[in-house]
Amino acid sequence: MLKFTKPQSKKKRQRHAASIMQPKDGQCWICSRVYHCFRKYPNIQKHHVFFGNGLREISEANGFTVYLCPQHHTDGPDAVHRNQRMNRLVQRATQDRFEVNHTREEFMDLIGRNYIE
Ligand SMILES: [Zn+2]
Ligand SMILES: [Zn+2]
């Protein structure tokens, strides 16, 4: 009998976790949590709350993700990728949510800095 072996991929397997911040139901985290608008978007986008220096993968693996409408992701004046104040607000809220059932130390081990002061 012939044995087929799968070629070993060189790529490291990426771990995935569901968002700890919200269900994936089409709502934008900023629209709903900041502006209390509960509209659902067909073109909702996943945002990795902590990014740069390998943090994107850590965000993906731990569910540090939010779903955002294009205006609040990249396009509008209060989009997380354009507005540092809004970016920090989402980062603080994510750390806060994580620390409901984890310690500050566990957060620091993953992300390397503290956003809550
Ligand atoms: Zn939005
Ligand atoms: Zn993003």
Side-chain angles (χ1 to χ4, degrees), residues 7-39:
Q8 203 56 41
S9 171
K10 288 252 166 63
K11 255 173 96 182
K12 247 210 259 163
R13 267 190 81 94
Q14 165 77 62
R15 294 205 316 116
H16 304 277
S19 168
I20 66 166
M21 298 300 282
Q22 65 182 133
K24 189 183 180 184
D25 59 2
Q27 285 186 14
C28 165
W29 191 87
I30 291 174
C31 284
S32 59
R33 270 62 168 186
V34 180
Y35 297 114
H36 307 288
C37 161
F38 301 98
R39 172 179 164 190

Side-chain angles (χ1 to χ4, degrees), residues 22-96:
Q22 65 182 133
K24 189 183 180 184
D25 59 2
Q27 285 186 14
C28 165
W29 191 87
I30 291 174
C31 284
S32 59
R33 270 62 168 186
V34 180
Y35 297 114
H36 307 288
C37 161
F38 301 98
R39 172 179 164 190
K40 294 188 179 187
Y41 295 87
N43 55 344
I44 200 82
Q45 298 169 351
K46 185 165 151 181
H47 169 65
H48 294 79
V49 174
F50 308 100
F51 49 90
N53 301 318
L55 291 181
R56 190 181 194 279
E57 286 70 24
I58 291 171
S59 288
E60 178 65 28
N62 292 278
F64 300 158
T65 50
V66 290
Y67 293 97
L68 298 173
C69 70
Q71 278 298 305
H72 287 136
H73 191 212
T74 52
D75 296 353
D78 53 354
V80 288
H81 285 288
R82 293 179 62 181
N83 184 318
Q84 184 65 348
R85 206 181 51 81
M86 189 59 86
N87 185 34
R88 284 285 182 262
L89 185 151
V90 176
Q91 290 174 325
R92 216 178 306 123
T94 303
Q95 179 178 350
D96 212 44

